[in-house]
Structure formats: structure tokens, C-alpha cells
């Protein structure tokens, strides 16, 4: 336990708030639950402000169910990413209160109501083929209490579509731009807004896009300032980072 947390706990004991036994239980808590195949981080919400998120790809349905069971004791909202329909069906049999979005392969169980943010996050895509990654980003941000504006299929091949929605994008506090092919949309948006832009390259494109590498390199080499780039197809990472930025401005 960190020194400042221990000092706060000792002060509470001195004020007769928790019992000595309850305080001892907190001191003995290792901050994780060992399931053999996973060590569930039950302390992450306190440390970072966000609960642990379950990455479903590579895990069996039974493992996902076991991790959810462990997380239920902490009363946090549960988000599972990269879950196939087959796995989701098995998880829903065990926990029918969870919801599944097959367009994003995301599962969510909201145990605790969150106050929606005043500021918005805009999720902008170049094409319809980017929607799976976009919805992963949008649903991740919404799971953490953010209000999200979706602006889809406004790529540079028909840039007038972007200009028609520019007011919505500029109204957001953080902008997530998702694009495959050559990934040019992030640079265009970055030169039109005064807010942080998080760029997400997608693995959408023909052979020379190299599974998203072309878009990734374009975004990393953008001449527009204020653009941060996450990994290929990492909608979750973009939604998470955008939420952190949005809540910083929300709490001012």
C-alpha cells in the first residue's frame, strides 16, 4: 500500500471509522485476484481511475467468464474487447445482463451509472470499412461516461463530406480520426481543428497498404501538429486515451 493511502487509512482508524479488522483486511489485500490463468487487477480503478478492461482475443469463453466473476466483486463497469460472436454467446449464457455489439466485438456490463461528460469526443472515419474499429473506439469512450459524436465516411476522396460535418467535429473536445488506405484524413482534420487529434490507422486497403502500415506511417509523418497515433486497428486505445483527455478538461 502506498504511503499516502496508508496514512489516510491510519487516520480513519484513529477516527474510529473502519474497525481494526477492516483496516487489516485492506492492508493484507494484494490488489489482485489470482485465478491461475489470470491475475485480475482489482486495484486498477483506485490507481488509474479506470477499471481493468478484458482483452477477449486469445482467451477462452470460460476464462472470460472467470475474470468477469472476479471483477463483479469490485462493482466496476465491465468492458470486454475483441470478442467473437461464438464466445459472446457463451458469456451471455453465464451473464445475461451483459450486452454484446457484434459490429465492434465489444461486451459491456454497466454495474454503476456514470454521469455523462459535458464535453464530447468526436469519432471520425474515412470510410464505412473503418466502422468496426470506430465503434470499438466509440463504445470504449461511452463505457467511461463520455458523450460521443459519430462522423462516419468523410474521407479525402470526397472531402466536401468532411466540410459538411466540420461544425460537429470542431464542437468536440477530443477528435479520434480513423482511416485505412493511405491514412490522409488525420492530417486534413489535424489542420482544421484546435483540439487534440488521436489518429488510428486501420488494416483497410489493397496489397500495398501492408495491413495498415501505409496508413500508420502517413499518420506518424503528418505535418499537422497535435496528432497522436495509436497502433493499427487499436480503437480501444484511442477511445481510452480520448476519455482520459476529455475527463481532464471536464474536471477543470
Amino acid at each position: 500500500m502506498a504511503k499516502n493511502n496508508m496514512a489516510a487509512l491510519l487516520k480513519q482508524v484513529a477516527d474510529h471509522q473502519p474497525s481494526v479488522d477492516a483496516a487489516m483486511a485492506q492492508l493484507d489485500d494484494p490488489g489482485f485476484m489470482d485465478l491461475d490463468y489470470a491475475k485480475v487487477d482489482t486495484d486498477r480503478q483506485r490507481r488509474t481511475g479506470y477499471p481493468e478492461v478484458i482483452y477477449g482475443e486469445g482467451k477462452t469463453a470460460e476464462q472470460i467468464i472467470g475474470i468477469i466473476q472476479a471483477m463483479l466483486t469490485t462493482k466496476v463497469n465491465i468492458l470486454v474487447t475483441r470478442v467473437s460472436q461464438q464466445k459472446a454467446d457463451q458469456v451471455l449464457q453465464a451473464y445475461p445482463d451483459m450486452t454484446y455489439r457484434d459490429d465492434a466485438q465489444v461486451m459491456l456490463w454497466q454495474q454503476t451509472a456514470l454521469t455523462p461528460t459535458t464535453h464530447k469526443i468526436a469519432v471520425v472515419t474515412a470510410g464505412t470499412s473503418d466502422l468496426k474499429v470506430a465503434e470499438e473506439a466509440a463504445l470504449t469512450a461511452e463505457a467511461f461516461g463520455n458523450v460521443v459524436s459519430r462522423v462516419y465516411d468523410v474521407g479525402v476522396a470526397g472531402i466536401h463530406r468532411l466540410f459538411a460535418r466540420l461544425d460537429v467535429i470542431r464542437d468536440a473536445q477530443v477528435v479520434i480520426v480513423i482511416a485505412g488506405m493511405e491514412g490522409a484524413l488525420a492530417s486534413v482534420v489535424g489542420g482544421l481543428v484546435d483540439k487534440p487529434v488521436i489518429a488510428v490507422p486501420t488494416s483497410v486497403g489493397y496489397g500495398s497498404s501492408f495491413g495498415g502500415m501505409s496508413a500508420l506511417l502517413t499518420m506518424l509523418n503528418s505535418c499537422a501538429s497535435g496528432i497522436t497515433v495509436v497502433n493499427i486497428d487499436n480503437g480501444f486505445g484511442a477511445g481510452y486515451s480520448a476519455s482520459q483527455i476529455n475527463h481532464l478538461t471536464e474536471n477543470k
Side-chain angles (χ1 to χ4, degrees):
M1 177 177 284
K3 286 184 178 180
N4 57 337
N5 294 325
M6 187 178 292
L9 179 61
L10 291 173
K11 186 178 186 304
Q12 290 173 355
V13 172
D15 293 339
H16 306 289
Q17 291 179 10
S19 67
V20 172
D21 288 341
M24 286 298 297
Q26 289 188 49
L27 290 171
D28 292 337
D29 183 2
F32 64 89
M33 193 174 297
D34 194 342
L35 305 180
D36 290 333
Y37 56 84
K39 291 178 175 60
V40 182
D41 189 347
T42 55
D43 189 52
R44 191 172 301 185
Q45 175 89 45
R46 182 194 63 79
R47 294 195 322 272
T48 69
Y50 291 82
E52 182 170 12
V53 175
I54 304 169
Y55 180 72
E57 193 170 340
K59 294 182 177 69
T60 66
E62 291 75 16
Q63 288 171 338
I64 294 172
I65 290 168
I67 295 170
I68 291 171
Q69 184 177 15
M71 292 181 67
L72 287 176
T73 62
T74 63
K75 303 298 182 184
V76 298
N77 292 333
I78 297 172
L79 177 65
V80 192
T81 65
R82 303 299 170 97
V83 188
S84 67
Q85 181 72 62
Q86 183 179 6
K87 288 181 190 177
D89 290 341
Q90 296 178 64
V91 174
L92 289 170
Q93 288 181 7
Y95 294 111
D97 287 333
M98 295 203 74
T99 58
Y100 178 63
R101 285 281 299 272
D102 61 347
D103 56 342
Q105 293 193 318
V106 164
M107 301 193 79
L108 178 65
W109 189 346
Q110 188 172 13
Q111 296 191 94
T112 304
L114 299 174
T115 302
T117 57
T118 304
H119 297 131
K120 299 175 184 177
I121 295 171
V123 178
V124 183
T125 73
T128 306
S129 297
D130 302 311
L131 290 190
K132 180 180 176 181
V133 177
E135 280 303 308
E136 182 181 76
L139 292 172
T140 296
E142 288 175 339
F144 298 137
N146 299 276
V147 176
V148 175
S149 300
R150 291 164 168 82
V151 181
Y152 291 167
D153 194 24
V154 291
V156 297
I159 203 165
H160 58 296
R161 300 171 299 174
L162 174 68
F163 296 150
R165 302 297 305 280
L166 203 51
D167 57 335
V168 176
I169 298 169
R170 284 175 169 163
D171 186 51
Q173 196 70 15
V174 191
V175 183
I176 299 172
V177 179
I178 301 170
M181 300 290 187
E182 85 292 359
L185 184 62
S187 293
V188 173
V189 173
L192 293 171
V193 301
D194 61 352
K195 306 293 171 50
V197 173
I198 301 173
V200 187
T202 66
S203 53
V204 172
Y206 296 103
S208 61
S209 71
F210 300 108
M213 282 298 299
S214 292
L216 172 64
L217 292 173
T218 297
M219 292 171 174
L220 287 172
N221 287 284
S222 174
C223 64
S225 303
I227 296 178
T228 300
V229 186
V230 299
N231 211 338
I232 298 168
D233 292 336
N234 190 8
F236 163 74
Y240 190 104
S241 295
S243 176
Q244 289 183 306
I245 296 169
N246 199 36
H247 279 89
L248 283 174
T249 58
E250 192 80 6
N251 295 331
K252 281 187 176 180

